[in-house]
Amino acid sequence: MLLHIENVLTPEQVAQCRRRLAASDWVDGRITAGEQSARAKRNLQVPEGSDASRELGELILGALGRNPEFVSAALPLRVFPPLFNRYDAGMGFDTHVDNAIRFAGPVRYRTDLSATLFLSDPGDYDGGELIVEDTYGEHAVKLAAGDLILYPASSLHRVAPITRGSRWAAFFWTQSMVKSDEQRTLLWALDQAVQKLTLKVGQADPEVVSLTGTYHNLLRMWVEV
């Protein structure tokens, strides 16, 4: 499932992130890449574990926890502490697949879902689209600052080269309580249908109660905690 989630951060929070990042050091982004990705990656990153990375990561994790769309789609068990990257003119990231396991200190994260949270508006740069491949072809993504794209970490994807300006973003991975993308997609669709039906007929309607029970029983069947 490829999902665009709007307004994860407010404009004020985006501005806060950009001010903090502008005052931070940037290093070669290959320091967090696997062997395959390192050969394809041309960008800059704020060092993992830096004060800025921790501060802004906590801001983003708090926003994600309050976002019902993210919670419903990702069913997060663990969210990897967000990292921050920058693509300037001439930089890009060739086609790759994200590492299956990431480490944050002693904690291991299975990367079920990848996410990019845009911190630059589309008019600030040319190129820089996140291009995700799936069974239906390629999807080019370039979102407003504060918006997030969520997609299976197993997907082939790349960042198109920047030809003007600079693209700033946060990126991270989620270990879901439901490992299968197909199962998560079904649960997401069912949850969305239940919410829409609830708005029409109320929470106490027998069909809403029945569908809600089905959702939770499927979740109980598939969840891994």
Side-chain angles (χ1 to χ4, degrees):
M1 176 171 59
L2 187 71
L3 183 65
H4 173 193
I5 303 178
E6 298 180 343
N7 302 315
V8 171
L9 295 183
T10 66
E12 293 76 18
Q13 289 172 323
V14 170
Q16 177 183 346
C17 289
R18 290 188 60 86
R19 285 193 301 270
R20 191 71 173 89
L21 293 173
S24 300
D25 294 326
W26 296 86
V27 298
D28 191 323
R30 287 176 292 185
I31 61 173
T32 59
E35 181 180 353
Q36 178 198 46
S37 296
R39 294 193 296 268
K41 190 176 188 181
R42 303 177 305 283
N43 69 4
L44 301 173
Q45 285 182 204
V46 172
E48 186 175 357
S50 67
D51 290 344
S53 185
R54 286 195 299 268
E55 174 190 324
L56 299 181
E58 289 175 3
L59 172 70
I60 291 170
L61 291 175
L64 293 172
R66 295 186 297 270
N67 189 293
E69 197 169 6
F70 172 79
V71 173
S72 176
L75 295 169
L77 177 63
R78 299 186 185 95
V79 179
F80 190 88
L83 302 173
F84 299 87
N85 61 19
R86 185 176 109 196
Y87 291 83
D88 295 334
M91 295 182 179
F93 199 163
D94 298 336
T95 301
H96 64 285
V97 174
D98 290 338
N99 291 349
I101 304 294
R102 303 289 304 197
F103 291 86
V107 182
R108 290 177 296 187
Y109 296 74
R110 186 185 66 231
T111 58
D112 298 320
L113 292 154
S114 296
T116 296
L117 175 59
F118 288 77
L119 298 174
S120 299
D121 282 315
D124 292 344
Y125 59 97
D126 293 333
E129 295 86 358
L130 172 66
I131 301 171
V132 182
E133 300 180 25
D134 64 15
T135 54
Y136 299 101
E138 294 187 347
H139 307 272
V141 181
K142 190 173 185 178
L143 304 182
D147 287 9
L148 178 143
I149 189 72
L150 189 67
Y151 59 98
S154 57
S155 304
L156 288 170
H157 58 283
R158 66 185 186 273
V159 175
I162 294 283
T163 59
R164 177 191 65 85
S166 186
R167 171 198 190 267
W168 297 14
F171 64 102
F172 56 90
W173 300 270
T174 298
Q175 179 174 339
S176 178
M177 292 185 290
V178 176
K179 182 178 180 180
S180 164
D181 181 57
E182 291 181 351
Q183 292 170 349
R184 282 196 310 273
T185 301
L186 288 171
L187 287 166
W188 160 255
L190 180 55
D191 185 42
Q192 295 303 294
V194 170
Q195 291 186 41
K196 290 176 182 177
L197 183 60
T198 300
L199 290 175
K200 292 180 180 179
V201 300
Q203 196 168 19
D205 182 84
E207 281 74 21
V208 170
V209 173
S210 177
L211 286 172
T212 301
T214 299
Y215 172 86
H216 284 284
N217 286 330
L218 287 172
L219 186 60
R220 202 182 332 272
M221 183 186 305
W222 293 335
V223 75
E224 300 177 14
V225 294

